[in-house]
Structures are given as C-alpha cells and as structure tokens.
C-alpha cells in the first residue's frame, strides 16, 4: 500500500488513472458514459428496465456486464474481493457500500444491519477496506424519519420502531468502534435529515472520545449545511469529542427543489453552483483549521476542490497521508482523481456499491440521473478515456 516515491500530482495523467483497465474495458466504459450522457435514454431506459426486471425478462446478464460492472463491486462481499485488490494496487482503498434500496420491512432492516456488520468484520481483516458506511433509511422506515423530523407525536408502536432503528445504528457504530474502523453515515433528503443528524451527533459523542470513528455527512449544496458543520464542531469542542465529517455537494437537488415548490417553503438548495462550490471549499478550510479535532473525508468528483485541498495540505505542512484527511470518489468514476491522488501518497478511497443486481438498480439509476445533471462530468470522463486510448495506440 505504501508509495515509497510519490509521483507529482497530475489529474490529467491517464496512464496512472487507467493502469488497471484493458483496452476492452476502456471501450466499454466509453460507450457506457455516452449512453449515460443522454438524458432521454436515462428517462426512457429507467422505467423500461424496471418493468423488464419486475416481469422477469432475461436482461439481468446485460445489466451485470455493463452499468453494474462499471459501478459495482459484485453481488456479495466475497464477489468484491478482486475489485478491492485492483484498487489497492493503485494505493486506493475501498468503502464497502451495501446499496440495496427500497426495502421497507423490519425483517429487511434487520438483514441490512447484519450485512453492514459483515462489512465491519471484512474491514477488520482487510487493510484495503478503510471505511464502513450505512444509509439510515436502510435501517428504518423513511416515513418514520419524516414524522420525527416534522415533530409529530409518535404512537407507542412507532416509538418502539424508532428504538429498534436507533439500536441498529448503535450496533454498527459500536462494532466499528471496537474494530477501530471508521464509519460514514450517509446524508438523505432534507425533510428527514435533522433526525439523522441527531442520531449521528449522539453516536459521535459516544464513540469519538479518542479519535474520529463516526462520520456524519454534510451536503454543501444546501445553504445551511456549512453553518451546521460549524455548529456541530462547536458542540464537539464543548463535549470534548472528535468531529467526523464527510463533505459532499449533494444528491437530491431536483427532488428538493420540486418538493419545496409544491409545499410552498424556501428551497434548502443553494441558489447556484458557485454558492455550493464556495461553501464546499470554505468547509475544507474550516476543517483544516481544526485538523487536530476533526477527521474529514472530501467526497467529491470536483477537480478544483481536490486541487484546493492538496494545495492547502502543502501550505500548512500537513502530511499527504494525515489520518484525519481522506479523499473519496465513486467506483467507476473520476479515476483520474482517485488513482493520481493515490500515486501521490494521499489517503483516497472509492465507494464500492454491492448487492444483488435487481436490488441495486434503484441506486444505479439514481447515480445515472445525477451524472446527467452534473455539468461536464460525463464529458470529462469521455475525454479522458479517449485520451488514454490514443496514448496507448501511439505508444505501441
């Protein structure tokens, strides 16, 4: 894992970015990103694919060999082994992300909890797995979160249901604490996020006494989240625990704006992209100012934010591999960021979704829809792939 002689950081170095990809892999990725770039294809393809899966048409193999293979590690933890090892060769670690969505029963919540606990066991024995992660609505009903957020009175059954949800979160955080493996709590929609934040804060206060173990997620495309980050740090200082923070831009912009408009309240989303970028980068500066008491992960596909963080580490004489600073990207995307950061000795991890093909499809479609709405992302992927294919042809 150690890079004895780190390379000079260059996000345009496609030789490093695609070192583990064959020409065939790159060509498949090229056509996949071309398809993802088409808004029309995503809008039409999503319901057609869901319908085909639901009625049992034999398209699972096609999905598994295309979009699933690009963005997922496998159907089980064991299936992810080769992908984890491949990332490790480039000094990139893995965040095992059980990405089954849309389940809504107590039995499914218990099974999800057990599966995440299995990722903790795997991380404990494999140094290439650097973080665990869970999505709160994978452990409890979305509508229960919403009711608590809206400060509505819970029935006795709902109170018992919330206790079970809370216990699942606690089981995972405790297991990570005992295994000395940090855990990320994913952010979700704004109208359930306050409840998630409260749980995350309590888990941090309980398990972050010696070091950052539990990390909450702050979506900086919300205009109030930089203030939330600073308030949580102030509370952590008062209560004498470490803050764990993963910063992202965000994943639910269209949904948030539509709901705010329909319900007649101010949208929680920033007025424009520069405002999101400014808050994201200000969060980097703030956390570096308090690096002794904050562990943070910069989850981003934004090249400029990655560059700012690397430059700030240099200016402040903070080691590239400081244990409180991580970069993160999604598997199958922005390899030019991940592998070049890894080659230069920075801590970097890839989110590696896994789970049965049919169960992971909601996650994959959501990612595809996000990509079509992120300006320039698919174009950047395509240009880098083309550049590497040309380089290989010229070097033969």
């Amino acid at each position: 894992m150690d890079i004895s002689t780190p390379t000079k950081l260059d996000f345009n170095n496609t030789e490093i970015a695609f070192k583990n990809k064959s020409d065939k892999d790159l060509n498949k990725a090229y056509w996949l990103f071309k398809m993802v770039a088409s808004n029309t294809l995503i809008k039409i393809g999503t319901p057609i694919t869901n319908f085909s899966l639901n009625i049992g048409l034999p398209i699972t193999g096609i999905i598994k060999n295309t979009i699933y293979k690009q963005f997922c590690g496998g159907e089980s933890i064991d299936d992810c082994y080769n992908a984890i090892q491949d990332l490790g060769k480039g000094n990139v670690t893995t965040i095992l992300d059980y990405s089954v969505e849309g389940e809504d029963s107590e039995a499914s919540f218990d099974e999800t909890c057990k599966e995440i606990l299995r990722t903790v066991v795997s991380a404990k024995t494999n140094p290439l797995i650097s973080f665990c992660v869970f999505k709160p609505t994978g452990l409890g009903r979305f509508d229960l979160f919403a009711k608590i957020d809206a400060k509505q009175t819970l029935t006795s059954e709902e109170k018992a249901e919330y206790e079970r949800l809370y216990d699942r979160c606690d089981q995972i955080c405790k297991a990570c604490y005992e295994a000395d493996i940090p855990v990320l709590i994913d952010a979700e929609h704004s109208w359930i996020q306050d409840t998630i934040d409260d749980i995350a804060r309590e888990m941090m206060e309980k398990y972050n006494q010696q070091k950052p173990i539990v990390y909450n997620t702050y979506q900086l495309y919300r205009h109030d989240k930089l203030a939330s980050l600073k308030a949580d740090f102030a509370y952590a200082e008062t209560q004498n625990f470490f803050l764990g923070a993963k910063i992202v831009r965000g994943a639910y912009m269209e949904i948030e704006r539509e709901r705010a408009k329909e319900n007649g309240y101010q949208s929680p989303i920033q007025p424009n992209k520069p405002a999101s970028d400014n808050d994201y980068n200000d969060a980097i500066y703030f956390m570096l100012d308090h690096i002794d008491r904050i562990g943070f992960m910069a989850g981003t596909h934004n090249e400029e934010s990655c560059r700012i963080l690397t430059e700030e580490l240099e200016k402040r004489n903070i080691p590239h591999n400081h244990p409180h600073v991580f970069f993160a990207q999604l598997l199958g995307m922005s390899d030019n960021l991940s592998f070049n950061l890894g080659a230069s000795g920075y801590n970097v991890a890839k989110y590696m979704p896994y789970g049965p093909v049919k169960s992971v499809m909601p996650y994959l479609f959501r990612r595809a829809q996000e990509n079509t709405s992120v300006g320039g992302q698919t174009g950047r992927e395509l240009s880098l792939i083309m550049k590497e294919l040309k380089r290989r042809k010229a070097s033969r």
Side-chain angles (χ1 to χ4, degrees):
M1 279 294 298
D2 289 336
I3 297 287
S4 53
T5 311
T7 62
K8 190 174 186 300
L9 184 62
D10 176 9
F11 291 135
N12 291 307
N13 188 324
T14 58
E15 183 177 4
I16 289 175
F18 299 118
K19 187 176 180 181
N20 291 331
K21 299 285 187 186
S22 66
D23 288 1
K24 184 180 178 182
D25 290 335
L26 284 178
N27 279 309
K28 284 176 76 172
Y30 175 83
W31 288 110
L32 185 61
F33 279 114
K34 285 280 278 188
M35 288 193 297
V36 168
S38 168
N39 277 296
T40 303
L41 183 64
I42 294 300
K43 286 176 182 175
I44 295 172
T46 300
I48 289 174
T49 305
N50 279 329
F51 176 75
S52 301
L53 287 168
N54 288 333
I55 66 171
L57 289 180
I59 64 166
T60 302
I62 297 170
I63 294 169
K64 195 168 185 178
N65 287 316
T66 52
I67 187 169
Y68 185 92
K69 186 177 181 182
Q70 179 74 18
F71 299 115
C72 296
E75 295 201 67
S76 67
I77 294 173
D78 288 344
D79 285 350
C80 294
Y81 179 79
N82 288 338
I84 293 168
Q85 296 302 116
D86 284 344
L87 292 181
K89 292 172 187 173
N91 202 37
V92 174
T93 59
T94 292
I95 305 163
L96 270 180
D97 183 11
Y98 184 56
S99 296
V100 171
E101 295 185 5
E103 304 293 336
D104 212 22
S105 69
E106 288 293 296
S108 68
F109 298 144
D110 283 337
E111 183 50 46
T112 295
C113 181
K114 289 175 186 174
E115 183 64 26
I116 294 165
L117 290 171
R118 286 190 276 270
T119 69
V120 181
V121 173
S122 297
K124 191 175 179 180
T125 58
N126 188 343
L128 294 178
I129 303 171
S130 52
F131 283 79
C132 293
V133 61
F134 67 89
K135 184 174 182 175
T137 54
L139 303 175
R141 271 192 314 120
F142 187 101
D143 289 347
L144 180 64
F145 280 100
K147 192 168 182 178
I148 297 167
D149 244 57
K151 296 181 169 50
Q152 296 175 4
T153 303
L154 301 184
T155 65
S156 56
E157 291 83 3
E158 287 170 335
K159 287 178 183 176
E161 187 183 355
Y162 176 74
E163 287 176 10
R164 292 192 295 273
L165 154 64
Y166 190 92
D167 181 63
R168 293 179 192 112
C169 295
D170 189 52
Q171 282 184 58
I172 293 166
C173 292
K174 182 182 180 184
C176 286
Y177 170 77
E178 291 174 347
D180 197 26
I181 303 294
V183 58
L184 306 160
I185 300 178
D186 277 348
E188 303 203 45
H189 301 83
S190 64
W191 61 98
I192 66 169
Q193 188 60 44
D194 285 352
T195 303
I196 294 170
D197 289 345
D198 289 344
I199 293 171
R201 205 177 298 109
E202 290 174 28
M203 295 297 153
M204 285 193 280
E205 189 167 356
K206 190 172 183 179
Y207 295 114
N208 288 12
Q209 293 293 322
Q210 284 85 38
K211 62 191 290 190
I213 290 289
V214 179
Y215 286 60
N216 196 17
T217 301
Y218 299 83
Q219 300 190 101
L220 277 307
Y221 75 164
R222 281 181 55 174
H223 54 69
D224 58 342
K225 276 301 163 182
L226 180 57
S228 291
L229 173 68
K230 292 179 178 179
D232 284 349
F233 175 67
Y235 179 75
E237 276 200 308
T238 302
Q239 300 303 117
N240 198 31
F241 65 88
F242 288 83
L243 183 71
K246 182 183 77 169
I247 57 168
V248 297
R249 277 170 171 78
Y252 307 101
M253 185 167 65
E254 287 84 1
I255 296 170
E256 292 284 359
R257 284 181 172 154
E258 285 172 15
R259 187 178 189 271
K261 188 176 180 180
E262 287 172 7
N263 291 276
Y265 62 84
Q266 182 190 6
S267 171
I269 305 302
Q270 300 268 18
N272 50 48
K273 187 176 184 298
S276 295
D277 293 342
N278 288 338
D279 273 10
Y280 192 95
N281 296 333
D282 283 348
I284 289 174
Y285 301 133
F286 175 78
M287 291 187 292
L288 288 174
D289 288 342
H290 304 283
I291 193 64
D292 57 327
R293 299 296 298 176
I294 298 179
F296 76 95
M297 173 177 282
T300 183
H301 293 251
N302 184 290
E303 204 167 297
E304 182 60 21
S305 290
C306 289
R307 185 172 286 108
I308 285 170
L309 179 47
T310 61
E311 289 173 354
E312 283 297 312
L313 290 171
E314 293 291 338
K315 285 179 193 173
R316 297 166 189 246
N317 293 315
I318 298 172
H320 288 194
N321 62 347
H322 191 289
H324 286 193
V325 184
F326 257 82
F327 296 81
Q329 288 82 40
L330 298 169
L331 185 70
M333 291 175 60
S334 298
D335 286 347
N336 67 307
L337 301 182
S338 307
F339 288 105
N340 282 300
L341 285 165
S344 296
Y346 294 96
N347 295 325
V348 57
K350 286 278 203 185
Y351 260 75
M352 185 179 290
Y354 77 95
V357 175
K358 185 176 178 181
S359 300
V360 173
M361 288 314 295
Y363 168 89
L364 288 175
F365 284 135
R366 184 158 52 81
R367 290 301 184 200
Q369 286 161 353
E370 285 166 28
N371 274 324
T372 60
S373 66
V374 176
Q377 180 63 48
T378 50
R380 178 68 167 146
E381 298 284 355
L382 289 166
S383 67
L384 289 165
I385 291 169
M386 289 169 63
K387 179 183 176 185
E388 176 58 13
L389 287 170
K390 286 177 183 175
R391 186 199 69 79
R392 290 182 183 187
K393 191 173 181 181
S395 66
R396 284 178 186 138

